[in-house]
Amino acid sequence: MYRTYYLSGKFNFYLDQHSNSDTAQYIDFFIGKLNYIRSNYDGAIFRFNRVINNYFVEKYKLKAYFSLAEVYEKTKNKAKAIEIYEYLKLYYPDTEQGKMAIKRLEHLYSF
């Protein structure tokens, strides 16, 4: 089943067909988190970017932005992490992710 759907691209095709679904968006987000935990950072970046770019629903988009910045921070790509944190700070300062981004920026700028 893994080979049939996931590796073949059929799984992504299925998710793409449900771009109005917050459930499909959650699946991509969750797989991104799993990839992050497993230190598969390229896979995490791919999934978080899908959540940001492929769905019309907003439910997990801010979480995906913040998680993407965390991946960049973990992989020592400080410039990209700062870029995303600055975006969250500028456009979403009153959200949970915006507030956490401000704290991460304070930390990153202190080095």
Side-chain angles (χ1 to χ4, degrees):
M1 188 157 202
Y2 174 75
R3 291 181 202 275
T4 304
Y5 292 101
Y6 194 77
L7 294 179
S8 70
K10 290 180 182 179
F11 185 71
N12 288 341
F13 180 75
Y14 174 81
L15 292 176
D16 289 342
Q17 298 308 304
H18 296 86
S19 59
N20 287 321
S21 166
D22 60 353
T23 303
Q25 188 184 44
Y26 174 74
I27 291 168
D28 257 333
F29 179 76
F30 186 75
I31 293 171
K33 283 296 204 184
L34 289 175
N35 280 318
Y36 179 80
I37 291 167
R38 295 180 64 227
S39 300
N40 177 3
Y41 301 122
D42 289 338
I45 290 168
F46 174 76
R47 288 293 163 185
F48 294 141
N49 275 316
R50 279 184 54 85
V51 171
I52 293 165
N53 298 314
N54 289 25
Y55 294 94
F56 297 109
V57 291
E58 298 285 326
K59 190 167 184 179
Y60 295 97
K61 196 169 277 197
L62 293 181
K63 290 180 182 182
Y65 270 116
F66 189 84
S67 296
L68 186 58
E70 287 181 310
V71 173
Y72 286 133
E73 210 176 325
K74 185 79 170 178
T75 59
K76 308 286 189 248
N77 193 337
K78 186 177 174 180
K80 282 200 173 204
I82 287 173
E83 180 182 333
I84 295 169
Y85 289 141
E86 288 287 357
Y87 174 82
L88 290 170
K89 175 184 166 186
L90 180 64
Y91 293 105
Y92 303 98
D94 297 326
T95 65
E96 179 184 349
Q97 288 74 28
K99 291 173 184 175
M100 290 188 306
I102 291 167
K103 289 180 182 179
R104 293 305 310 148
L105 284 167
E106 290 170 359
H107 173 74
L108 288 171
Y109 285 140
S110 68
F111 286 101

